[in-house]
């Protein structure tokens, strides 16, 4: 069913008027805004047709978007394979939907597909703005282009989500820093309060380390037991303080 029976004249004229109002002879010299307008208009237009088409009980497979450009079209001299590769594989290289739409038109992807599909498949209406929407192949083409647009939207959505996460992470970091600052301030206030309370309560006298150093080294055990004389006495008798046998603890040869 290349030609859709009973196609609504109102929809046909809607498409015709848009193209007449937005026609430019040189697709490489399109003004800013045209690209997004092109993509959005055709998305809205084909969705209207899908709804009407479904209400007629027609086979939806006839107007389903192509999964990819048919090889006979891709093998023609006008087809820009590098442009196709960028659209499909590097959608993030387009900062905006307008850039994507301008590229699809400016690289002649859209024009070449229409032109060569009309020639190869014998659908001359595809080369006529006023008649193209009557053909099922028009929706094969524009359903596919809308998938390119959706592919870009998905890629752009991932980029925005990452940026939002980074922003949220920065906010959490700033909040955590502020919380730590407030916590430190509260700790300082508590410490100051505790110091004031301690100053008001009499504390028992504790000898300072500096005072002990002035009086000599701190010792353990009974303070009236001199350590050095014991060691000297043991050395004079050839004994160890812990071993009373002469030469105890030495390793003597026979």
């Amino acid at each position: 069913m290349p030609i859709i029976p009973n196609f609504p004249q109102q929809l046909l004229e809607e498409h015709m008027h848009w193209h007449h109002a937005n026609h430019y002879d040189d697709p490489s010299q399109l003004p800013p805004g045209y690209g997004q307008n092109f993509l959005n208009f055709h998305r809205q237009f084909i969705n209207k047709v899908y709804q009407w088409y479904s209400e007629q009980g027609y086979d939806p497979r006839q107007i389903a978007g192509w999964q990819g450009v048919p090889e006979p079209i891709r093998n023609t001299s006008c087809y820009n394979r590098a442009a196709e590769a960028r659209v499909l594989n590097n959608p993030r290289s387009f900062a905006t939907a307008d850039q994507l739409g301008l590229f699809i038109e400016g690289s002649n992807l859209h024009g070449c597909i229409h032109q060569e599909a009309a020639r190869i498949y014998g659908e001359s209406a595809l080369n006529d703005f006023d008649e193209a929407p009557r053909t099922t192949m028009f929706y094969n083409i524009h359903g596919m282009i809308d998938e390119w647009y959706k592919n870009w939207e998905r890629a752009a959505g991932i980029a925005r989500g990452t940026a939002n996460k980074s922003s949220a992470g920065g906010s959490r970091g700033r909040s955590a820093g502020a919380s730590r600052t407030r916590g430190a301030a509260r700790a300082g206030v508590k410490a100051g309060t505790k110091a004031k309370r301690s100053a008001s309560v009499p504390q028992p006298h504790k000898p300072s380390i500096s005072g002990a150093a002035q009086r000599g080294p701190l010792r353990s055990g009974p303070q009236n037991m001199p350590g050095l004389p014991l060691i000297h006495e043991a050395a004079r008798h050839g004994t160890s303080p812990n071993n009373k046998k002469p030469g105890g603890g030495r390793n003597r040869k026979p």
Side-chain angles (χ1 to χ4, degrees):
M1 185 175 63
I3 300 298
I4 301 172
N6 306 314
F7 192 83
Q9 185 65 27
Q10 181 182 354
L11 289 174
L12 199 64
E13 290 178 357
E14 181 179 347
H15 181 265
M16 177 184 68
H17 290 325
W18 188 89
H19 272 282
H20 284 213
N22 295 278
H23 178 70
Y24 294 88
D25 290 330
D26 186 354
S28 66
Q29 300 297 321
L30 298 172
Y34 178 94
Q36 185 162 12
N37 194 9
F38 167 80
L39 292 171
N40 287 342
F41 169 78
H42 284 87
R43 169 176 287 180
Q44 169 254 341
F45 180 78
I46 64 175
N47 282 332
K48 284 183 181 179
V49 174
Y50 290 158
Q51 182 177 352
W52 170 84
Y53 191 92
S54 176
E55 291 170 354
Q56 310 312 303
Y58 297 152
D59 184 357
R61 293 173 296 180
Q62 295 289 330
I63 60 170
W66 283 335
Q67 296 299 304
V69 179
E71 281 302 309
I73 297 175
R74 296 182 77 244
N75 290 331
T76 61
S77 60
C78 72
Y79 194 74
N80 190 334
R81 286 175 177 254
E84 176 195 55
R86 181 184 173 189
V87 169
L88 295 179
N89 303 324
N90 194 15
R92 290 190 183 185
S93 65
F94 303 102
T96 64
D98 191 45
Q99 286 186 9
L100 173 66
L102 288 171
F103 184 78
I104 290 172
E105 285 284 70
S107 64
N108 201 34
L109 279 174
H110 175 230
C112 178
I113 293 171
H114 267 270
Q115 171 188 307
E116 295 305 313
R119 180 182 66 82
I120 294 170
Y121 302 113
E123 294 290 340
S124 59
L126 285 173
N127 275 332
D128 186 343
F129 292 139
D130 298 353
E131 297 295 326
R134 291 186 187 275
T135 71
T136 56
M137 200 164 287
F138 174 90
Y139 304 96
N140 302 150
I141 294 170
H142 280 277
M144 177 184 66
I145 291 175
D146 194 54
E147 280 301 316
W148 294 352
Y149 187 12
K150 289 176 183 176
N151 186 43
W152 175 85
E153 288 178 319
R154 284 189 290 269
I158 292 170
R160 285 192 295 271
T162 302
N164 290 340
K165 286 180 181 178
S166 298
S167 176
S171 298
R172 286 194 295 270
R174 288 190 294 273
S175 297
S179 297
R180 286 193 294 271
T181 301
R182 289 193 295 269
R186 286 194 295 269
V189 171
K190 289 181 179 179
T193 303
K194 185 175 181 180
K196 289 181 180 178
R197 290 176 180 172
S198 298
S200 62
V201 178
Q203 299 294 321
H205 175 71
K206 293 182 181 179
S208 65
I209 294 176
S210 58
Q214 291 172 1
R215 291 191 297 272
L218 296 176
R219 299 175 183 270
S220 61
Q223 297 301 309
N224 60 354
M225 182 182 292
L228 290 177
L230 176 62
I231 295 174
H232 291 164
E233 182 69 16
R236 189 165 59 86
H237 294 288
T239 62
S240 167
N242 299 320
N243 189 339
K244 301 302 181 181
K245 293 182 180 179
R250 296 180 186 176
N251 185 13
R252 291 178 177 267
K253 291 183 180 180

